[in-house]
Amino acid sequence: MLDEDRATTARAISEADAWAHVQAICFKTGPPRRLGVELEFLVRDAHAPSRPLDRDRHSTAVADLRSLPLRSPLTFEPGGQLELSPPPAPSLTACVAEAEADLDLVRTTLRAHDLTLVGHGCDPYNPPVRFLDQPRYAAMEAYFDRRGPAGRLMMCSSASVQVCVDAGYEEPGPLGFARRWRLAHLLGAVLVAAFANSPLRGGRPTGWRSTRQANWADLDPGRSQAPAEARDPRTAWAAYVLDAPVMCVRCDEGPWTVPTGVSFRQWIRATGDHGAATSANPAPSHPPDTDHCPPDTGPGTALPRPPTREDLDYHVSTLFPPVRPRGHLELRMIDAQSGDDAWRVPLAVTTALFDDPEASERVYRAVKPLAELAGPHPPPRNPLWRTAARDALTDPELHAAALAAFAAAREALPRLGASPRLQSAVADFTDRYVARGRCPADDVLDALLDPRPGDPVSGKEGRR
């Protein structure tokens, strides 16, 4: 970073500048050309995957993983979950190849430690335990603990397949960014249902096929709920960011401050120059965050300093709605999948439905009626998303939408240059699950009634 840029990010930011900054970076429009995937896995003992993993053993393996010549950034979630994020790719084929090559290296190294990667949306056996002792995660834990156990479960026990697609064109149409934004929030429920893979906690059914998604809905809505639907997604997102509660205030030494009930907008107004409200940067129509912030469990915490642009960028990284605009769109609702290469299916299906114009138009028409079931409330707390997490494809409306979506995706994959092997994987998933109104969670529940070697609960996963 240039010295001039450092000075800019270190200066206190005004409310008007914060609004303009968020609007400038959230949707970077243009022809959809690149895509990406972020793959999260639980790390477990290869011979006893239901047992808690020893922290020292995990640390030893991580040290070896850090030395691998990976092209993908390798990171770890607070509970030790492994995350691999290949660089944005120009095609679906390139994205899959990049991820597969790095995963092969990671798995080979883990085998030397008798460890394995396990794909579950939520750890089916063990309570959440934080492995990473960093100020960010200590502050995050303290923040979420004010509301209940959902935060720790999200931090330490969950894993997902996050698909990233370009925002799309500025202009309206099937590949326009406003249409893609709306599509993501309707199709997202279908993706939750089709790929639900977390029906257990503590080895017992929770009543949800995607316990991960149900848990996500229990986080404080100011940072896990989607923005309210609006004609202009940029305006909706900027208001959401400024009115979201501040999770923590970073500092160079000692623990980070965890304020109570303070939105980013309020932080600016309490400590700096907020500027006048304008039509482009309206004052909130309600007191910021009165419904969104965690309950106050003690005296309010004084804010140590005015916020900077770096604080604003960090604040955005602590927001976890089901679709997050980071220039591109991050689709964050898909459970991690069981099997070494099962992650390819949600990646392929989602990419086809967003980046092939014909498939995108077809699926939009198929999911548009789901808006009536969703009602006026944003995901993931509305009836549509809760039904998807609980009932998955046993729900008739979601099943019909999934059939249409997977049919459109399968027809689009050859046009996107997908390999025969990838097309076959999507076809097999469709036949095994979607056509029968099932999802991977149903295999896990069936295995509880008839356990056998190679079932998805044992961790020695057979689906490939």
Side-chain angles (χ1 to χ4, degrees), residues 3-19:
D3 290 342
E4 182 179 347
D5 293 331
R6 288 194 184 94
T8 299
T9 58
R11 287 199 298 264
I13 193 169
S14 70
E15 186 174 334
D17 286 344
W19 182 273

mmCIF file with all atom_site columns, all heavy atoms in Angstrom, residues 3-19:
data_model
loop_
_atom_site.group_PDB
_atom_site.id
_atom_site.type_symbol
_atom_site.label_atom_id
_atom_site.label_alt_id
_atom_site.label_comp_id
_atom_site.label_asym_id
_atom_site.label_entity_id
_atom_site.label_seq_id
_atom_site.pdbx_PDB_ins_code
_atom_site.Cartn_x
_atom_site.Cartn_y
_atom_site.Cartn_z
_atom_site.occupancy
_atom_site.B_iso_or_equiv
_atom_site.pdbx_formal_charge
_atom_site.auth_seq_id
_atom_site.auth_comp_id
_atom_site.auth_asym_id
_atom_site.auth_atom_id
_atom_site.pdbx_PDB_model_num
ATOM 1   N N   . ASP A 1 3  ? 2.045   5.166  0.776  1.00 0.00 ? 3  ASP A N   1
ATOM 2   C CA  . ASP A 1 3  ? 1.910   5.966  1.983  1.00 0.00 ? 3  ASP A CA  1
ATOM 3   C C   . ASP A 1 3  ? 0.635   6.793  1.957  1.00 0.00 ? 3  ASP A C   1
ATOM 4   O O   . ASP A 1 3  ? -0.039  6.964  2.973  1.00 0.00 ? 3  ASP A O   1
ATOM 5   C CB  . ASP A 1 3  ? 3.127   6.879  2.134  1.00 0.00 ? 3  ASP A CB  1
ATOM 6   C CG  . ASP A 1 3  ? 4.385   6.095  2.484  1.00 0.00 ? 3  ASP A CG  1
ATOM 7   O OD1 . ASP A 1 3  ? 4.247   4.943  2.938  1.00 0.00 ? 3  ASP A OD1 1
ATOM 8   O OD2 . ASP A 1 3  ? 5.492   6.637  2.296  1.00 0.00 ? 3  ASP A OD2 1
ATOM 9   N N   . GLU A 1 4  ? 0.285   7.317  0.767  1.00 0.00 ? 4  GLU A N   1
ATOM 10  C CA  . GLU A 1 4  ? -0.932  8.123  0.642  1.00 0.00 ? 4  GLU A CA  1
ATOM 11  C C   . GLU A 1 4  ? -2.176  7.290  0.953  1.00 0.00 ? 4  GLU A C   1
ATOM 12  O O   . GLU A 1 4  ? -3.104  7.755  1.614  1.00 0.00 ? 4  GLU A O   1
ATOM 13  C CB  . GLU A 1 4  ? -1.019  8.681  -0.786 1.00 0.00 ? 4  GLU A CB  1
ATOM 14  C CG  . GLU A 1 4  ? -2.229  9.576  -1.012 1.00 0.00 ? 4  GLU A CG  1
ATOM 15  C CD  . GLU A 1 4  ? -2.261  10.135 -2.426 1.00 0.00 ? 4  GLU A CD  1
ATOM 16  O OE1 . GLU A 1 4  ? -1.240  10.043 -3.137 1.00 0.00 ? 4  GLU A OE1 1
ATOM 17  O OE2 . GLU A 1 4  ? -3.316  10.656 -2.818 1.00 0.00 ? 4  GLU A OE2 1
ATOM 18  N N   . ASP A 1 5  ? -2.179  6.025  0.502  1.00 0.00 ? 5  ASP A N   1
ATOM 19  C CA  . ASP A 1 5  ? -3.313  5.153  0.779  1.00 0.00 ? 5  ASP A CA  1
ATOM 20  C C   . ASP A 1 5  ? -3.395  4.829  2.270  1.00 0.00 ? 5  ASP A C   1
ATOM 21  O O   . ASP A 1 5  ? -4.475  4.754  2.847  1.00 0.00 ? 5  ASP A O   1
ATOM 22  C CB  . ASP A 1 5  ? -3.193  3.858  -0.028 1.00 0.00 ? 5  ASP A CB  1
ATOM 23  C CG  . ASP A 1 5  ? -3.325  4.096  -1.513 1.00 0.00 ? 5  ASP A CG  1
ATOM 24  O OD1 . ASP A 1 5  ? -4.023  5.058  -1.881 1.00 0.00 ? 5  ASP A OD1 1
ATOM 25  O OD2 . ASP A 1 5  ? -2.724  3.331  -2.291 1.00 0.00 ? 5  ASP A OD2 1
ATOM 26  N N   . ARG A 1 6  ? -2.206  4.612  2.882  1.00 0.00 ? 6  ARG A N   1
ATOM 27  C CA  . ARG A 1 6  ? -2.214  4.314  4.318  1.00 0.00 ? 6  ARG A CA  1
ATOM 28  C C   . ARG A 1 6  ? -2.792  5.478  5.103  1.00 0.00 ? 6  ARG A C   1
ATOM 29  O O   . ARG A 1 6  ? -3.564  5.300  6.046  1.00 0.00 ? 6  ARG A O   1
ATOM 30  C CB  . ARG A 1 6  ? -0.786  4.034  4.797  1.00 0.00 ? 6  ARG A CB  1
ATOM 31  C CG  . ARG A 1 6  ? -0.217  2.703  4.343  1.00 0.00 ? 6  ARG A CG  1
ATOM 32  C CD  . ARG A 1 6  ? 1.034   2.354  5.141  1.00 0.00 ? 6  ARG A CD  1
ATOM 33  N NE  . ARG A 1 6  ? 1.649   1.144  4.658  1.00 0.00 ? 6  ARG A NE  1
ATOM 34  C CZ  . ARG A 1 6  ? 2.626   1.110  3.762  1.00 0.00 ? 6  ARG A CZ  1
ATOM 35  N NH1 . ARG A 1 6  ? 3.101   2.238  3.256  1.00 0.00 ? 6  ARG A NH1 1
ATOM 36  N NH2 . ARG A 1 6  ? 3.148   -0.046 3.368  1.00 0.00 ? 6  ARG A NH2 1
ATOM 37  N N   . ALA A 1 7  ? -2.412  6.700  4.719  1.00 0.00 ? 7  ALA A N   1
ATOM 38  C CA  . ALA A 1 7  ? -2.919  7.875  5.414  1.00 0.00 ? 7  ALA A CA  1
ATOM 39  C C   . ALA A 1 7  ? -4.428  7.988  5.264  1.00 0.00 ? 7  ALA A C   1
ATOM 40  O O   . ALA A 1 7  ? -5.147  8.337  6.205  1.00 0.00 ? 7  ALA A O   1
ATOM 41  C CB  . ALA A 1 7  ? -2.238  9.133  4.874  1.00 0.00 ? 7  ALA A CB  1
ATOM 42  N N   . THR A 1 8  ? -4.936  7.651  4.066  1.00 0.00 ? 8  THR A N   1
ATOM 43  C CA  . THR A 1 8  ? -6.373  7.733  3.827  1.00 0.00 ? 8  THR A CA  1
ATOM 44  C C   . THR A 1 8  ? -7.131  6.757  4.700  1.00 0.00 ? 8  THR A C   1
ATOM 45  O O   . THR A 1 8  ? -8.151  7.093  5.310  1.00 0.00 ? 8  THR A O   1
ATOM 46  C CB  . THR A 1 8  ? -6.682  7.457  2.342  1.00 0.00 ? 8  THR A CB  1
ATOM 47  O OG1 . THR A 1 8  ? -6.034  8.444  1.545  1.00 0.00 ? 8  THR A OG1 1
ATOM 48  C CG2 . THR A 1 8  ? -8.180  7.492  2.078  1.00 0.00 ? 8  THR A CG2 1
ATOM 49  N N   . THR A 1 9  ? -6.653  5.512  4.777  1.00 0.00 ? 9  THR A N   1
ATOM 50  C CA  . THR A 1 9  ? -7.360  4.496  5.556  1.00 0.00 ? 9  THR A CA  1
ATOM 51  C C   . THR A 1 9  ? -7.225  4.725  7.050  1.00 0.00 ? 9  THR A C   1
ATOM 52  O O   . THR A 1 9  ? -8.039  4.239  7.825  1.00 0.00 ? 9  THR A O   1
ATOM 53  C CB  . THR A 1 9  ? -6.845  3.091  5.203  1.00 0.00 ? 9  THR A CB  1
ATOM 54  O OG1 . THR A 1 9  ? -5.438  3.020  5.459  1.00 0.00 ? 9  THR A OG1 1
ATOM 55  C CG2 . THR A 1 9  ? -7.111  2.768  3.745  1.00 0.00 ? 9  THR A CG2 1
ATOM 56  N N   . ALA A 1 10 ? -6.188  5.472  7.499  1.00 0.00 ? 10 ALA A N   1
ATOM 57  C CA  . ALA A 1 10 ? -5.962  5.691  8.922  1.00 0.00 ? 10 ALA A CA  1
ATOM 58  C C   . ALA A 1 10 ? -6.712  6.911  9.442  1.00 0.00 ? 10 ALA A C   1
ATOM 59  O O   . ALA A 1 10 ? -6.849  7.084  10.643 1.00 0.00 ? 10 ALA A O   1
ATOM 60  C CB  . ALA A 1 10 ? -4.472  5.847  9.204  1.00 0.00 ? 10 ALA A CB  1
ATOM 61  N N   . ARG A 1 11 ? -7.198  7.778  8.543  1.00 0.00 ? 11 ARG A N   1
ATOM 62  C CA  . ARG A 1 11 ? -7.940  8.960  8.966  1.00 0.00 ? 11 ARG A CA  1
ATOM 63  C C   . ARG A 1 11 ? -9.348  8.580  9.423  1.00 0.00 ? 11 ARG A C   1
ATOM 64  O O   . ARG A 1 11 ? -9.948  7.634  8.904  1.00 0.00 ? 11 ARG A O   1
ATOM 65  C CB  . ARG A 1 11 ? -8.036  9.980  7.832  1.00 0.00 ? 11 ARG A CB  1
ATOM 66  C CG  . ARG A 1 11 ? -6.735  10.720 7.540  1.00 0.00 ? 11 ARG A CG  1
ATOM 67  C CD  . ARG A 1 11 ? -7.038  11.990 6.751  1.00 0.00 ? 11 ARG A CD  1
ATOM 68  N NE  . ARG A 1 11 ? -7.650  11.670 5.460  1.00 0.00 ? 11 ARG A NE  1
ATOM 69  C CZ  . ARG A 1 11 ? -6.974  11.576 4.324  1.00 0.00 ? 11 ARG A CZ  1
ATOM 70  N NH1 . ARG A 1 11 ? -5.674  11.756 4.323  1.00 0.00 ? 11 ARG A NH1 1
ATOM 71  N NH2 . ARG A 1 11 ? -7.611  11.306 3.204  1.00 0.00 ? 11 ARG A NH2 1
ATOM 72  N N   . ALA A 1 12 ? -9.890  9.357  10.354 1.00 0.00 ? 12 ALA A N   1
ATOM 73  C CA  . ALA A 1 12 ? -11.278 9.163  10.754 1.00 0.00 ? 12 ALA A CA  1
ATOM 74  C C   . ALA A 1 12 ? -12.178 9.360  9.545  1.00 0.00 ? 12 ALA A C   1
ATOM 75  O O   . ALA A 1 12 ? -11.957 10.239 8.711  1.00 0.00 ? 12 ALA A O   1
ATOM 76  C CB  . ALA A 1 12 ? -11.642 10.138 11.869 1.00 0.00 ? 12 ALA A CB  1
ATOM 77  N N   . ILE A 1 13 ? -13.198 8.541  9.443  1.00 0.00 ? 13 ILE A N   1
ATOM 78  C CA  . ILE A 1 13 ? -14.086 8.576  8.285  1.00 0.00 ? 13 ILE A CA  1
ATOM 79  C C   . ILE A 1 13 ? -15.405 9.244  8.674  1.00 0.00 ? 13 ILE A C   1
ATOM 80  O O   . ILE A 1 13 ? -15.914 9.040  9.775  1.00 0.00 ? 13 ILE A O   1
ATOM 81  C CB  . ILE A 1 13 ? -14.322 7.150  7.744  1.00 0.00 ? 13 ILE A CB  1
ATOM 82  C CG1 . ILE A 1 13 ? -14.989 7.201  6.363  1.00 0.00 ? 13 ILE A CG1 1
ATOM 83  C CG2 . ILE A 1 13 ? -15.136 6.306  8.709  1.00 0.00 ? 13 ILE A CG2 1
ATOM 84  C CD1 . ILE A 1 13 ? -15.001 5.844  5.660  1.00 0.00 ? 13 ILE A CD1 1
ATOM 85  N N   . SER A 1 14 ? -15.927 10.078 7.791  1.00 0.00 ? 14 SER A N   1
ATOM 86  C CA  . SER A 1 14 ? -17.211 10.707 8.037  1.00 0.00 ? 14 SER A CA  1
ATOM 87  C C   . SER A 1 14 ? -18.335 9.775  7.612  1.00 0.00 ? 14 SER A C   1
ATOM 88  O O   . SER A 1 14 ? -18.116 8.804  6.878  1.00 0.00 ? 14 SER A O   1
ATOM 89  C CB  . SER A 1 14 ? -17.317 12.024 7.261  1.00 0.00 ? 14 SER A CB  1
ATOM 90  O OG  . SER A 1 14 ? -17.425 11.756 5.865  1.00 0.00 ? 14 SER A OG  1
ATOM 91  N N   . GLU A 1 15 ? -19.535 10.077 8.026  1.00 0.00 ? 15 GLU A N   1
ATOM 92  C CA  . GLU A 1 15 ? -20.674 9.253  7.650  1.00 0.00 ? 15 GLU A CA  1
ATOM 93  C C   . GLU A 1 15 ? -20.902 9.274  6.142  1.00 0.00 ? 15 GLU A C   1
ATOM 94  O O   . GLU A 1 15 ? -21.174 8.247  5.519  1.00 0.00 ? 15 GLU A O   1
ATOM 95  C CB  . GLU A 1 15 ? -21.924 9.726  8.387  1.00 0.00 ? 15 GLU A CB  1
ATOM 96  C CG  . GLU A 1 15 ? -23.135 8.839  8.175  1.00 0.00 ? 15 GLU A CG  1
ATOM 97  C CD  . GLU A 1 15 ? -24.313 9.256  9.041  1.00 0.00 ? 15 GLU A CD  1
ATOM 98  O OE1 . GLU A 1 15 ? -24.080 9.869  10.110 1.00 0.00 ? 15 GLU A OE1 1
ATOM 99  O OE2 . GLU A 1 15 ? -25.459 8.972  8.652  1.00 0.00 ? 15 GLU A OE2 1
ATOM 100 N N   . ALA A 1 16 ? -20.768 10.456 5.546  1.00 0.00 ? 16 ALA A N   1
ATOM 101 C CA  . ALA A 1 16 ? -20.961 10.560 4.099  1.00 0.00 ? 16 ALA A CA  1
ATOM 102 C C   . ALA A 1 16 ? -19.908 9.761  3.348  1.00 0.00 ? 16 ALA A C   1
ATOM 103 O O   . ALA A 1 16 ? -20.205 9.089  2.346  1.00 0.00 ? 16 ALA A O   1
ATOM 104 C CB  . ALA A 1 16 ? -20.926 12.032 3.675  1.00 0.00 ? 16 ALA A CB  1
ATOM 105 N N   . ASP A 1 17 ? -18.656 9.832  3.815  1.00 0.00 ? 17 ASP A N   1
ATOM 106 C CA  . ASP A 1 17 ? -17.592 9.080  3.147  1.00 0.00 ? 17 ASP A CA  1
ATOM 107 C C   . ASP A 1 17 ? -17.776 7.575  3.344  1.00 0.00 ? 17 ASP A C   1
ATOM 108 O O   . ASP A 1 17 ? -17.475 6.776  2.445  1.00 0.00 ? 17 ASP A O   1
ATOM 109 C CB  . ASP A 1 17 ? -16.221 9.507  3.670  1.00 0.00 ? 17 ASP A CB  1
ATOM 110 C CG  . ASP A 1 17 ? -15.800 10.875 3.156  1.00 0.00 ? 17 ASP A CG  1
ATOM 111 O OD1 . ASP A 1 17 ? -16.408 11.348 2.170  1.00 0.00 ? 17 ASP A OD1 1
ATOM 112 O OD2 . ASP A 1 17 ? -14.876 11.473 3.743  1.00 0.00 ? 17 ASP A OD2 1
ATOM 113 N N   . ALA A 1 18 ? -18.250 7.170  4.509  1.00 0.00 ? 18 ALA A N   1
ATOM 114 C CA  . ALA A 1 18 ? -18.498 5.743  4.750  1.00 0.00 ? 18 ALA A CA  1
ATOM 115 C C   . ALA A 1 18 ? -19.580 5.241  3.801  1.00 0.00 ? 18 ALA A C   1
ATOM 116 O O   . ALA A 1 18 ? -19.457 4.164  3.197  1.00 0.00 ? 18 ALA A O   1
ATOM 117 C CB  . ALA A 1 18 ? -18.901 5.515  6.208  1.00 0.00 ? 18 ALA A CB  1
ATOM 118 N N   . TRP A 1 19 ? -20.653 6.005  3.677  1.00 0.00 ? 19 TRP A N   1
ATOM 119 C CA  . TRP A 1 19 ? -21.737 5.633  2.768  1.00 0.00 ? 19 TRP A CA  1
ATOM 120 C C   . TRP A 1 19 ? -21.218 5.503  1.338  1.00 0.00 ? 19 TRP A C   1
ATOM 121 O O   . TRP A 1 19 ? -21.492 4.522  0.644  1.00 0.00 ? 19 TRP A O   1
ATOM 122 C CB  . TRP A 1 19 ? -22.838 6.686  2.850  1.00 0.00 ? 19 TRP A CB  1
ATOM 123 C CG  . TRP A 1 19 ? -24.038 6.411  2.009  1.00 0.00 ? 19 TRP A CG  1
ATOM 124 C CD1 . TRP A 1 19 ? -24.216 6.749  0.700  1.00 0.00 ? 19 TRP A CD1 1
ATOM 125 C CD2 . TRP A 1 19 ? -25.219 5.729  2.399  1.00 0.00 ? 19 TRP A CD2 1
ATOM 126 N NE1 . TRP A 1 19 ? -25.440 6.329  0.251  1.00 0.00 ? 19 TRP A NE1 1
ATOM 127 C CE2 . TRP A 1 19 ? -26.085 5.699  1.279  1.00 0.00 ? 19 TRP A CE2 1
ATOM 128 C CE3 . TRP A 1 19 ? -25.649 5.149  3.591  1.00 0.00 ? 19 TRP A CE3 1
ATOM 129 C CZ2 . TRP A 1 19 ? -27.344 5.111  1.313  1.00 0.00 ? 19 TRP A CZ2 1
ATOM 130 C CZ3 . TRP A 1 19 ? -26.902 4.565  3.627  1.00 0.00 ? 19 TRP A CZ3 1
ATOM 131 C CH2 . TRP A 1 19 ? -27.731 4.544  2.506  1.00 0.00 ? 19 TRP A CH2 1
#
